[in-house]
Amino acid sequence: MNLGSWLVLIDLQRIFGEPASHWFTPRFADAAAGAVRLRELFPGRTALTRFLAPETPAGAWVPYYQQWPFALDPANADLYDLVPALPPGDAVLIDRPTFGKWDAATRAALGDASDIILAGVSTDCCVLSTALAAADDGVRVRVVADACAGLSDADHRRALDVMALYGPLIEITTVEEILAERGLGR
């Protein structure tokens, strides 16, 4: 593993982690616990992303938000906060109104990164969208399966299987494998 890798933690926000939220992701707590363990390994080389609803949706996002009007209600703005277990600290913060978080601005914010490790939620949406865009951009992507969670276990597995098809651009790994590569395995 390239020890200069960046850890990119996707959308570990209250809106996906709180059971009362319409966008609650089962197994969020498991993904967040894995992300917390990984973050300790990447001081100064962690990016935290947040999915933020646009002020005014456009294009295909209009019918999307018609299905999810709570997401545009200013009274729910606090739901977009990161969960307390992952405070910003020294992380690079990346906010986007899109599922995918990888673009030229993200690449520049990470110092032209060529190797990233992805974890977060949801595997079958924002993690998948980010992984494919980064791989297309020539970035080596490692997705930490047990530090991600999908809308269901089946969706999580299907998304991992799709990303595995992009090998060797995208590799599926685990928290323990990342720890072991850094000399911290059991």
Side-chain angles (χ1 to χ4, degrees):
M1 178 171 62
N2 177 354
L3 295 180
S5 304
W6 277 83
L7 176 65
V8 180
L9 299 176
I10 303 294
D11 302 351
L12 292 163
Q13 301 167 260
R14 292 179 49 212
I15 201 165
F16 304 112
E18 294 185 0
S21 170
H22 296 285
W23 287 348
F24 175 64
T25 304
R27 299 193 190 271
F28 180 96
D30 295 337
V36 167
R37 290 181 70 198
L38 292 170
R39 186 171 182 185
E40 296 171 6
L41 304 175
F42 295 88
R45 296 188 72 80
T46 298
L48 297 170
T49 75
R50 291 189 314 160
F51 177 79
L52 298 178
E55 196 168 303
T56 305
W61 290 104
V62 172
Y64 178 82
Y65 282 105
Q66 287 172 343
Q67 289 185 8
W68 305 106
F70 87 97
L72 296 174
D73 185 345
N76 293 324
D78 291 348
L79 286 174
Y80 290 99
D81 291 345
L82 295 167
V83 293
L86 290 158
D90 66 353
V92 172
L93 301 178
I94 297 170
D95 293 339
R96 298 284 185 278
T98 55
F99 297 143
K101 305 304 185 290
W102 192 264
D103 57 21
T106 298
R107 187 178 189 122
L110 304 186
D112 200 28
S114 61
D115 190 316
I116 63 172
I117 297 169
L118 282 182
V121 298
S122 72
T123 318
D124 46 313
C125 186
C126 296
V127 172
L128 174 66
S129 298
T130 302
L132 296 182
D136 267 349
D137 195 28
V139 175
R140 178 182 183 219
V141 179
R142 301 184 71 191
V143 177
V144 186
D146 55 346
C148 292
L151 293 181
S152 70
D153 287 348
D155 292 338
H156 171 74
R157 184 73 253 160
R158 282 193 289 264
L160 292 173
D161 289 345
V162 166
M163 289 186 277
L165 295 172
Y166 289 79
L169 296 171
I170 299 175
E171 301 168 48
I172 309 301
T173 189
T174 65
V175 171
E176 288 303 324
E177 287 175 348
I178 299 295
L179 290 169
E181 290 173 3
R182 295 199 167 229
L184 301 171
R186 293 181 188 171

PDB file of all heavy atoms in Angstrom, residues 2 4 6 8 45 47 49 92-94 96 100-116 130-141 169:
ATOM      1  N   ASN A   2       0.463   2.193  -0.745  1.00  0.00           N
ATOM      2  CA  ASN A   2       1.125   3.488  -0.760  1.00  0.00           C
ATOM      3  C   ASN A   2       0.815   4.205   0.545  1.00  0.00           C
ATOM      4  O   ASN A   2      -0.331   4.541   0.816  1.00  0.00           O
ATOM      5  CB  ASN A   2       0.616   4.286  -1.968  1.00  0.00           C
ATOM      6  CG  ASN A   2       1.194   5.674  -2.038  1.00  0.00           C
ATOM      7  OD1 ASN A   2       1.903   6.125  -1.139  1.00  0.00           O
ATOM      8  ND2 ASN A   2       0.893   6.355  -3.118  1.00  0.00           N
ATOM      9  N   GLY A   4       1.313   7.048   1.266  1.00  0.00           N
ATOM     10  CA  GLY A   4       0.867   8.402   0.979  1.00  0.00           C
ATOM     11  C   GLY A   4      -0.588   8.459   0.567  1.00  0.00           C
ATOM     12  O   GLY A   4      -1.060   9.486   0.105  1.00  0.00           O
ATOM     13  N   TRP A   6      -4.612   8.704   0.626  1.00  0.00           N
ATOM     14  CA  TRP A   6      -5.593   9.504   1.363  1.00  0.00           C
ATOM     15  C   TRP A   6      -6.749   8.604   1.755  1.00  0.00           C
ATOM     16  O   TRP A   6      -7.189   7.764   0.969  1.00  0.00           O
ATOM     17  CB  TRP A   6      -6.128  10.641   0.493  1.00  0.00           C
ATOM     18  CG  TRP A   6      -5.250  11.843   0.482  1.00  0.00           C
ATOM     19  CD1 TRP A   6      -4.146  12.048  -0.286  1.00  0.00           C
ATOM     20  CD2 TRP A   6      -5.423  13.015   1.274  1.00  0.00           C
ATOM     21  NE1 TRP A   6      -3.612  13.283  -0.004  1.00  0.00           N
ATOM     22  CE2 TRP A   6      -4.380  13.892   0.941  1.00  0.00           C
ATOM     23  CE3 TRP A   6      -6.360  13.402   2.230  1.00  0.00           C
ATOM     24  CZ2 TRP A   6      -4.241  15.150   1.544  1.00  0.00           C
ATOM     25  CZ3 TRP A   6      -6.227  14.643   2.818  1.00  0.00           C
ATOM     26  CH2 TRP A   6      -5.167  15.508   2.482  1.00  0.00           C
ATOM     27  N   VAL A   8     -10.611   8.673   2.339  1.00  0.00           N
ATOM     28  CA  VAL A   8     -11.773   9.496   2.003  1.00  0.00           C
ATOM     29  C   VAL A   8     -13.001   8.826   2.620  1.00  0.00           C
ATOM     30  O   VAL A   8     -13.384   7.726   2.219  1.00  0.00           O
ATOM     31  CB  VAL A   8     -11.938   9.643   0.475  1.00  0.00           C
ATOM     32  CG1 VAL A   8     -13.147  10.512   0.154  1.00  0.00           C
ATOM     33  CG2 VAL A   8     -10.659  10.234  -0.143  1.00  0.00           C
ATOM     34  N   ARG A  45      -4.185  13.257   6.415  1.00  0.00           N
ATOM     35  CA  ARG A  45      -4.452  12.712   5.079  1.00  0.00           C
ATOM     36  C   ARG A  45      -5.845  12.068   5.026  1.00  0.00           C
ATOM     37  O   ARG A  45      -6.046  11.011   4.444  1.00  0.00           O
ATOM     38  CB  ARG A  45      -3.381  11.696   4.682  1.00  0.00           C
ATOM     39  CG  ARG A  45      -1.996  12.321   4.556  1.00  0.00           C
ATOM     40  CD  ARG A  45      -0.990  11.375   3.975  1.00  0.00           C
ATOM     41  NE  ARG A  45      -1.180  11.138   2.571  1.00  0.00           N
ATOM     42  CZ  ARG A  45      -0.784  11.946   1.583  1.00  0.00           C
ATOM     43  NH1 ARG A  45      -0.196  13.081   1.869  1.00  0.00           N
ATOM     44  NH2 ARG A  45      -0.995  11.628   0.328  1.00  0.00           N
ATOM     45  N   ALA A  47      -9.997  12.923   4.248  1.00  0.00           N
ATOM     46  CA  ALA A  47     -11.034  13.821   3.734  1.00  0.00           C
ATOM     47  C   ALA A  47     -12.381  13.308   4.236  1.00  0.00           C
ATOM     48  O   ALA A  47     -12.633  12.102   4.222  1.00  0.00           O
ATOM     49  CB  ALA A  47     -11.025  13.852   2.212  1.00  0.00           C
ATOM     50  N   THR A  49     -16.381  13.778   3.552  1.00  0.00           N
ATOM     51  CA  THR A  49     -17.324  14.367   2.605  1.00  0.00           C
ATOM     52  C   THR A  49     -18.694  14.498   3.252  1.00  0.00           C
ATOM     53  O   THR A  49     -19.028  13.782   4.196  1.00  0.00           O
ATOM     54  CB  THR A  49     -17.452  13.531   1.321  1.00  0.00           C
ATOM     55  OG1 THR A  49     -18.238  12.364   1.588  1.00  0.00           O
ATOM     56  CG2 THR A  49     -16.094  13.157   0.758  1.00  0.00           C
ATOM     57  N   VAL A  92      -9.675  17.359   5.491  1.00  0.00           N
ATOM     58  CA  VAL A  92     -10.146  18.180   4.374  1.00  0.00           C
ATOM     59  C   VAL A  92     -11.647  17.920   4.256  1.00  0.00           C
ATOM     60  O   VAL A  92     -12.075  16.766   4.225  1.00  0.00           O
ATOM     61  CB  VAL A  92      -9.423  17.779   3.067  1.00  0.00           C
ATOM     62  CG1 VAL A  92     -10.048  18.477   1.869  1.00  0.00           C
ATOM     63  CG2 VAL A  92      -7.934  18.080   3.171  1.00  0.00           C
ATOM     64  N   LEU A  93     -12.436  18.972   4.215  1.00  0.00           N
ATOM     65  CA  LEU A  93     -13.887  18.835   4.123  1.00  0.00           C
ATOM     66  C   LEU A  93     -14.330  19.042   2.681  1.00  0.00           C
ATOM     67  O   LEU A  93     -13.945  20.020   2.043  1.00  0.00           O
ATOM     68  CB  LEU A  93     -14.574  19.835   5.042  1.00  0.00           C
ATOM     69  CG  LEU A  93     -14.213  19.704   6.529  1.00  0.00           C
ATOM     70  CD1 LEU A  93     -14.921  20.783   7.341  1.00  0.00           C
ATOM     71  CD2 LEU A  93     -14.547  18.318   7.054  1.00  0.00           C
ATOM     72  N   ILE A  94     -15.125  18.110   2.214  1.00  0.00           N
ATOM     73  CA  ILE A  94     -15.601  18.157   0.827  1.00  0.00           C
ATOM     74  C   ILE A  94     -17.124  18.071   0.848  1.00  0.00           C
ATOM     75  O   ILE A  94     -17.685  17.037   1.208  1.00  0.00           O
ATOM     76  CB  ILE A  94     -14.994  17.007   0.000  1.00  0.00           C
ATOM     77  CG1 ILE A  94     -13.475  17.170  -0.052  1.00  0.00           C
ATOM     78  CG2 ILE A  94     -15.604  16.954  -1.394  1.00  0.00           C
ATOM     79  CD1 ILE A  94     -12.730  15.993  -0.620  1.00  0.00           C
ATOM     80  N   ARG A  96     -20.626  18.369  -1.355  1.00  0.00           N
ATOM     81  CA  ARG A  96     -21.149  18.314  -2.728  1.00  0.00           C
ATOM     82  C   ARG A  96     -22.649  18.026  -2.690  1.00  0.00           C
ATOM     83  O   ARG A  96     -23.112  17.265  -1.853  1.00  0.00           O
ATOM     84  CB  ARG A  96     -20.476  17.194  -3.535  1.00  0.00           C
ATOM     85  CG  ARG A  96     -18.978  17.329  -3.724  1.00  0.00           C
ATOM     86  CD  ARG A  96     -18.619  18.386  -4.767  1.00  0.00           C
ATOM     87  NE  ARG A  96     -17.199  18.415  -5.021  1.00  0.00           N
ATOM     88  CZ  ARG A  96     -16.290  19.051  -4.276  1.00  0.00           C
ATOM     89  NH1 ARG A  96     -16.675  19.748  -3.230  1.00  0.00           N
ATOM     90  NH2 ARG A  96     -15.014  19.016  -4.585  1.00  0.00           N
ATOM     91  N   GLY A 100     -21.660  11.388  -6.176  1.00  0.00           N
ATOM     92  CA  GLY A 100     -20.225  11.235  -6.342  1.00  0.00           C
ATOM     93  C   GLY A 100     -19.495  12.448  -5.757  1.00  0.00           C
ATOM     94  O   GLY A 100     -19.914  13.582  -5.941  1.00  0.00           O
ATOM     95  N   LYS A 101     -18.390  12.188  -5.075  1.00  0.00           N
ATOM     96  CA  LYS A 101     -17.615  13.274  -4.464  1.00  0.00           C
ATOM     97  C   LYS A 101     -16.283  13.502  -5.170  1.00  0.00           C
ATOM     98  O   LYS A 101     -15.541  14.394  -4.800  1.00  0.00           O
ATOM     99  CB  LYS A 101     -17.362  12.974  -2.977  1.00  0.00           C
ATOM    100  CG  LYS A 101     -18.617  12.699  -2.163  1.00  0.00           C
ATOM    101  CD  LYS A 101     -19.618  13.829  -2.239  1.00  0.00           C
ATOM    102  CE  LYS A 101     -20.830  13.642  -1.350  1.00  0.00           C
ATOM    103  NZ  LYS A 101     -21.771  12.606  -1.745  1.00  0.00           N
ATOM    104  N   TRP A 102     -15.990  12.669  -6.192  1.00  0.00           N
ATOM    105  CA  TRP A 102     -14.708  12.831  -6.871  1.00  0.00           C
ATOM    106  C   TRP A 102     -14.880  13.719  -8.090  1.00  0.00           C
ATOM    107  O   TRP A 102     -15.686  13.448  -8.969  1.00  0.00           O
ATOM    108  CB  TRP A 102     -14.122  11.488  -7.308  1.00  0.00           C
ATOM    109  CG  TRP A 102     -12.700  11.664  -7.740  1.00  0.00           C
ATOM    110  CD1 TRP A 102     -12.239  11.841  -9.024  1.00  0.00           C
ATOM    111  CD2 TRP A 102     -11.569  11.764  -6.899  1.00  0.00           C
ATOM    112  NE1 TRP A 102     -10.888  12.033  -9.014  1.00  0.00           N
ATOM    113  CE2 TRP A 102     -10.446  11.991  -7.724  1.00  0.00           C
ATOM    114  CE3 TRP A 102     -11.386  11.683  -5.517  1.00  0.00           C
ATOM    115  CZ2 TRP A 102      -9.155  12.128  -7.200  1.00  0.00           C
ATOM    116  CZ3 TRP A 102     -10.120  11.807  -5.006  1.00  0.00           C
ATOM    117  CH2 TRP A 102      -9.018  12.030  -5.848  1.00  0.00           C
ATOM    118  N   ASP A 103     -14.122  14.806  -8.127  1.00  0.00           N
ATOM    119  CA  ASP A 103     -14.076  15.697  -9.279  1.00  0.00           C
ATOM    120  C   ASP A 103     -12.731  16.416  -9.231  1.00  0.00           C
ATOM    121  O   ASP A 103     -11.892  16.123  -8.366  1.00  0.00           O
ATOM    122  CB  ASP A 103     -15.265  16.671  -9.281  1.00  0.00           C
ATOM    123  CG  ASP A 103     -15.362  17.510  -8.001  1.00  0.00           C
ATOM    124  OD1 ASP A 103     -14.341  17.665  -7.285  1.00  0.00           O
ATOM    125  OD2 ASP A 103     -16.458  18.022  -7.722  1.00  0.00           O
ATOM    126  N   ALA A 104     -12.523  17.323 -10.153  1.00  0.00           N
ATOM    127  CA  ALA A 104     -11.233  18.024 -10.215  1.00  0.00           C
ATOM    128  C   ALA A 104     -10.957  18.792  -8.924  1.00  0.00           C
ATOM    129  O   ALA A 104      -9.802  18.853  -8.467  1.00  0.00           O
ATOM    130  CB  ALA A 104     -11.208  18.961 -11.423  1.00  0.00           C
ATOM    131  N   ALA A 105     -11.983  19.361  -8.334  1.00  0.00           N
ATOM    132  CA  ALA A 105     -11.784  20.116  -7.091  1.00  0.00           C
ATOM    133  C   ALA A 105     -11.375  19.188  -5.943  1.00  0.00           C
ATOM    134  O   ALA A 105     -10.529  19.547  -5.117  1.00  0.00           O
ATOM    135  CB  ALA A 105     -13.048  20.896  -6.739  1.00  0.00           C
ATOM    136  N   THR A 106     -11.959  17.999  -5.902  1.00  0.00           N
ATOM    137  CA  THR A 106     -11.573  17.039  -4.861  1.00  0.00           C
ATOM    138  C   THR A 106     -10.120  16.616  -5.069  1.00  0.00           C
ATOM    139  O   THR A 106      -9.327  16.582  -4.131  1.00  0.00           O
ATOM    140  CB  THR A 106     -12.500  15.805  -4.883  1.00  0.00           C
ATOM    141  OG1 THR A 106     -13.835  16.243  -4.613  1.00  0.00           O
ATOM    142  CG2 THR A 106     -12.083  14.775  -3.858  1.00  0.00           C
ATOM    143  N   ARG A 107      -9.782  16.300  -6.309  1.00  0.00           N
ATOM    144  CA  ARG A 107      -8.402  15.883  -6.591  1.00  0.00           C
ATOM    145  C   ARG A 107      -7.411  16.972  -6.179  1.00  0.00           C
ATOM    146  O   ARG A 107      -6.392  16.699  -5.548  1.00  0.00           O
ATOM    147  CB  ARG A 107      -8.248  15.552  -8.066  1.00  0.00           C
ATOM    148  CG  ARG A 107      -6.894  14.952  -8.388  1.00  0.00           C
ATOM    149  CD  ARG A 107      -6.749  14.576  -9.861  1.00  0.00           C
ATOM    150  NE  ARG A 107      -5.522  13.829 -10.004  1.00  0.00           N
ATOM    151  CZ  ARG A 107      -5.413  12.605 -10.489  1.00  0.00           C
ATOM    152  NH1 ARG A 107      -6.488  12.002 -10.944  1.00  0.00           N
ATOM    153  NH2 ARG A 107      -4.254  12.007 -10.551  1.00  0.00           N
ATOM    154  N   ALA A 108      -7.739  18.217  -6.498  1.00  0.00           N
ATOM    155  CA  ALA A 108      -6.853  19.333  -6.126  1.00  0.00           C
ATOM    156  C   ALA A 108      -6.782  19.488  -4.607  1.00  0.00           C
ATOM    157  O   ALA A 108      -5.702  19.722  -4.049  1.00  0.00           O
ATOM    158  CB  ALA A 108      -7.339  20.617  -6.785  1.00  0.00           C
ATOM    159  N   ALA A 109      -7.926  19.339  -3.926  1.00  0.00           N
ATOM    160  CA  ALA A 109      -7.943  19.489  -2.468  1.00  0.00           C
ATOM    161  C   ALA A 109      -7.083  18.431  -1.782  1.00  0.00           C
ATOM    162  O   ALA A 109      -6.574  18.651  -0.681  1.00  0.00           O
ATOM    163  CB  ALA A 109      -9.377  19.412  -1.949  1.00  0.00           C
ATOM    164  N   LEU A 110      -6.915  17.287  -2.460  1.00  0.00           N
ATOM    165  CA  LEU A 110      -6.110  16.200  -1.893  1.00  0.00           C
ATOM    166  C   LEU A 110      -4.706  16.175  -2.495  1.00  0.00           C
ATOM    167  O   LEU A 110      -4.032  15.135  -2.467  1.00  0.00           O
ATOM    168  CB  LEU A 110      -6.816  14.854  -2.114  1.00  0.00           C
ATOM    169  CG  LEU A 110      -8.238  14.747  -1.560  1.00  0.00           C
ATOM    170  CD1 LEU A 110      -8.770  13.330  -1.722  1.00  0.00           C
ATOM    171  CD2 LEU A 110      -8.319  15.201  -0.118  1.00  0.00           C
ATOM    172  N   GLY A 111      -4.264  17.299  -3.025  1.00  0.00           N
ATOM    173  CA  GLY A 111      -2.891  17.393  -3.516  1.00  0.00           C
ATOM    174  C   GLY A 111      -2.610  16.483  -4.683  1.00  0.00           C
ATOM    175  O   GLY A 111      -1.542  15.868  -4.733  1.00  0.00           O
ATOM    176  N   ASP A 112      -3.556  16.382  -5.606  1.00  0.00           N
ATOM    177  CA  ASP A 112      -3.399  15.535  -6.790  1.00  0.00           C
ATOM    178  C   ASP A 112      -3.192  14.073  -6.403  1.00  0.00           C
ATOM    179  O   ASP A 112      -2.318  13.379  -6.946  1.00  0.00           O
ATOM    180  CB  ASP A 112      -2.245  16.042  -7.663  1.00  0.00           C
ATOM    181  CG  ASP A 112      -2.341  15.522  -9.090  1.00  0.00           C
ATOM    182  OD1 ASP A 112      -3.473  15.248  -9.555  1.00  0.00           O
ATOM    183  OD2 ASP A 112      -1.290  15.367  -9.730  1.00  0.00           O
ATOM    184  N   ALA A 113      -3.996  13.610  -5.480  1.00  0.00           N
ATOM    185  CA  ALA A 113      -3.882  12.237  -4.971  1.00  0.00           C
ATOM    186  C   ALA A 113      -3.956  11.217  -6.101  1.00  0.00           C
ATOM    187  O   ALA A 113      -4.729  11.376  -7.048  1.00  0.00           O
ATOM    188  CB  ALA A 113      -5.002  11.971  -3.971  1.00  0.00           C
ATOM    189  N   SER A 114      -3.148  10.161  -5.971  1.00  0.00           N
ATOM    190  CA  SER A 114      -3.178   9.088  -6.959  1.00  0.00           C
ATOM    191  C   SER A 114      -3.614   7.765  -6.353  1.00  0.00           C
ATOM    192  O   SER A 114      -3.699   6.763  -7.047  1.00  0.00           O
ATOM    193  CB  SER A 114      -1.788   8.924  -7.585  1.00  0.00           C
ATOM    194  OG  SER A 114      -0.851   8.583  -6.584  1.00  0.00           O
ATOM    195  N   ASP A 115      -3.898   7.766  -5.054  1.00  0.00           N
ATOM    196  CA  ASP A 115      -4.239   6.535  -4.335  1.00  0.00           C
ATOM    197  C   ASP A 115      -5.159   6.911  -3.178  1.00  0.00           C
ATOM    198  O   ASP A 115      -4.750   7.692  -2.316  1.00  0.00           O
ATOM    199  CB  ASP A 115      -2.947   5.901  -3.825  1.00  0.00           C
ATOM    200  CG  ASP A 115      -3.135   4.514  -3.267  1.00  0.00           C
ATOM    201  OD1 ASP A 115      -4.096   4.273  -2.514  1.00  0.00           O
ATOM    202  OD2 ASP A 115      -2.288   3.659  -3.575  1.00  0.00           O
ATOM    203  N   ILE A 116      -6.394   6.390  -3.193  1.00  0.00           N
ATOM    204  CA  ILE A 116      -7.313   6.705  -2.099  1.00  0.00           C
ATOM    205  C   ILE A 116      -7.904   5.429  -1.526  1.00  0.00           C
ATOM    206  O   ILE A 116      -8.006   4.407  -2.204  1.00  0.00           O
ATOM    207  CB  ILE A 116      -8.451   7.658  -2.530  1.00  0.00           C
ATOM    208  CG1 ILE A 116      -9.345   7.032  -3.600  1.00  0.00           C
ATOM    209  CG2 ILE A 116      -7.890   9.003  -2.968  1.00  0.00           C
ATOM    210  CD1 ILE A 116     -10.600   7.840  -3.919  1.00  0.00           C
ATOM    211  N   THR A 130     -18.492   7.685  -6.159  1.00  0.00           N
ATOM    212  CA  THR A 130     -17.172   8.289  -5.942  1.00  0.00           C
ATOM    213  C   THR A 130     -16.070   7.370  -6.445  1.00  0.00           C
ATOM    214  O   THR A 130     -15.118   7.821  -7.103  1.00  0.00           O
ATOM    215  CB  THR A 130     -16.980   8.607  -4.451  1.00  0.00           C
ATOM    216  OG1 THR A 130     -18.025   9.491  -4.034  1.00  0.00           O
ATOM    217  CG2 THR A 130     -15.623   9.262  -4.192  1.00  0.00           C
ATOM    218  N   ALA A 131     -16.179   6.088  -6.153  1.00  0.00           N
ATOM    219  CA  ALA A 131     -15.151   5.133  -6.568  1.00  0.00           C
ATOM    220  C   ALA A 131     -15.012   5.088  -8.091  1.00  0.00           C
ATOM    221  O   ALA A 131     -13.887   5.115  -8.619  1.00  0.00           O
ATOM    222  CB  ALA A 131     -15.479   3.739  -6.024  1.00  0.00           C
ATOM    223  N   LEU A 132     -16.134   5.031  -8.797  1.00  0.00           N
ATOM    224  CA  LEU A 132     -16.063   4.935 -10.260  1.00  0.00           C
ATOM    225  C   LEU A 132     -15.468   6.197 -10.875  1.00  0.00           C
ATOM    226  O   LEU A 132     -14.649   6.122 -11.797  1.00  0.00           O
ATOM    227  CB  LEU A 132     -17.454   4.654 -10.842  1.00  0.00           C
ATOM    228  CG  LEU A 132     -18.088   3.321 -10.447  1.00  0.00           C
ATOM    229  CD1 LEU A 132     -19.435   3.148 -11.120  1.00  0.00           C
ATOM    230  CD2 LEU A 132     -17.179   2.145 -10.756  1.00  0.00           C
ATOM    231  N   ALA A 133     -15.851   7.357 -10.367  1.00  0.00           N
ATOM    232  CA  ALA A 133     -15.303   8.614 -10.911  1.00  0.00           C
ATOM    233  C   ALA A 133     -13.807   8.730 -10.642  1.00  0.00           C
ATOM    234  O   ALA A 133     -13.044   9.159 -11.516  1.00  0.00           O
ATOM    235  CB  ALA A 133     -16.052   9.804 -10.325  1.00  0.00           C
ATOM    236  N   ALA A 134     -13.385   8.341  -9.448  1.00  0.00           N
ATOM    237  CA  ALA A 134     -11.951   8.418  -9.130  1.00  0.00           C
ATOM    238  C   ALA A 134     -11.160   7.439  -9.993  1.00  0.00           C
ATOM    239  O   ALA A 134     -10.092   7.783 -10.515  1.00  0.00           O
ATOM    240  CB  ALA A 134     -11.729   8.136  -7.640  1.00  0.00           C
ATOM    241  N   ALA A 135     -11.667   6.227 -10.157  1.00  0.00           N
ATOM    242  CA  ALA A 135     -10.983   5.242 -11.002  1.00  0.00           C
ATOM    243  C   ALA A 135     -10.889   5.750 -12.433  1.00  0.00           C
ATOM    244  O   ALA A 135      -9.836   5.634 -13.075  1.00  0.00           O
ATOM    245  CB  ALA A 135     -11.718   3.904 -10.945  1.00  0.00           C
ATOM    246  N   ASP A 136     -11.976   6.326 -12.935  1.00  0.00           N
ATOM    247  CA  ASP A 136     -11.948   6.893 -14.292  1.00  0.00           C
ATOM    248  C   ASP A 136     -10.897   7.990 -14.421  1.00  0.00           C
ATOM    249  O   ASP A 136     -10.344   8.199 -15.496  1.00  0.00           O
ATOM    250  CB  ASP A 136     -13.317   7.487 -14.655  1.00  0.00           C
ATOM    251  CG  ASP A 136     -14.209   6.501 -15.383  1.00  0.00           C
ATOM    252  OD1 ASP A 136     -13.720   5.436 -15.798  1.00  0.00           O
ATOM    253  OD2 ASP A 136     -15.399   6.821 -15.530  1.00  0.00           O
ATOM    254  N   ASP A 137     -10.640   8.669 -13.316  1.00  0.00           N
ATOM    255  CA  ASP A 137      -9.659   9.757 -13.299  1.00  0.00           C
ATOM    256  C   ASP A 137      -8.238   9.232 -13.111  1.00  0.00           C
ATOM    257  O   ASP A 137      -7.294  10.008 -12.969  1.00  0.00           O
ATOM    258  CB  ASP A 137     -10.020  10.743 -12.182  1.00  0.00           C
ATOM    259  CG  ASP A 137      -9.310  12.076 -12.305  1.00  0.00           C
ATOM    260  OD1 ASP A 137      -8.969  12.488 -13.449  1.00  0.00           O
ATOM    261  OD2 ASP A 137      -9.086  12.727 -11.269  1.00  0.00           O
ATOM    262  N   GLY A 138      -8.084   7.911 -13.081  1.00  0.00           N
ATOM    263  CA  GLY A 138      -6.741   7.329 -12.974  1.00  0.00           C
ATOM    264  C   GLY A 138      -6.239   7.161 -11.562  1.00  0.00           C
ATOM    265  O   GLY A 138      -5.048   6.935 -11.345  1.00  0.00           O
ATOM    266  N   VAL A 139      -7.129   7.242 -10.602  1.00  0.00           N
ATOM    267  CA  VAL A 139      -6.747   7.101  -9.197  1.00  0.00           C
ATOM    268  C   VAL A 139      -6.934   5.648  -8.773  1.00  0.00           C
ATOM    269  O   VAL A 139      -7.954   5.031  -9.089  1.00  0.00           O
ATOM    270  CB  VAL A 139      -7.611   8.024  -8.309  1.00  0.00           C
ATOM    271  CG1 VAL A 139      -7.323   7.804  -6.836  1.00  0.00           C
ATOM    272  CG2 VAL A 139      -7.383   9.480  -8.701  1.00  0.00           C
ATOM    273  N   ARG A 140      -5.962   5.105  -8.068  1.00  0.00           N
ATOM    274  CA  ARG A 140      -6.112   3.770  -7.491  1.00  0.00           C
ATOM    275  C   ARG A 140      -7.072   3.892  -6.318  1.00  0.00           C
ATOM    276  O   ARG A 140      -6.869   4.717  -5.414  1.00  0.00           O
ATOM    277  CB  ARG A 140      -4.770   3.233  -7.007  1.00  0.00           C
ATOM    278  CG  ARG A 140      -4.874   1.868  -6.363  1.00  0.00           C
ATOM    279  CD  ARG A 140      -3.523   1.407  -5.854  1.00  0.00           C
ATOM    280  NE  ARG A 140      -3.629   0.071  -5.295  1.00  0.00           N
ATOM    281  CZ  ARG A 140      -2.985  -0.305  -4.204  1.00  0.00           C
ATOM    282  NH1 ARG A 140      -2.161   0.522  -3.589  1.00  0.00           N
ATOM    283  NH2 ARG A 140      -3.123  -1.526  -3.744  1.00  0.00           N
ATOM    284  N   VAL A 141      -8.116   3.072  -6.304  1.00  0.00           N
ATOM    285  CA  VAL A 141      -9.161   3.146  -5.284  1.00  0.00           C
ATOM    286  C   VAL A 141      -9.222   1.829  -4.533  1.00  0.00           C
ATOM    287  O   VAL A 141      -9.303   0.757  -5.143  1.00  0.00           O
ATOM    288  CB  VAL A 141     -10.534   3.439  -5.924  1.00  0.00           C
ATOM    289  CG1 VAL A 141     -11.625   3.487  -4.852  1.00  0.00           C
ATOM    290  CG2 VAL A 141     -10.503   4.741  -6.724  1.00  0.00           C
ATOM    291  N   LEU A 169      -8.229  -1.232 -11.050  1.00  0.00           N
ATOM    292  CA  LEU A 169      -8.414   0.176 -10.697  1.00  0.00           C
ATOM    293  C   LEU A 169      -9.063   0.312  -9.323  1.00  0.00           C
ATOM    294  O   LEU A 169      -8.749   1.219  -8.554  1.00  0.00           O
ATOM    295  CB  LEU A 169      -9.276   0.885 -11.743  1.00  0.00           C
ATOM    296  CG  LEU A 169      -8.698   0.986 -13.144  1.00  0.00           C
ATOM    297  CD1 LEU A 169      -9.750   1.513 -14.113  1.00  0.00           C
ATOM    298  CD2 LEU A 169      -7.477   1.887 -13.154  1.00  0.00           C
TER     299      LEU A 169
END
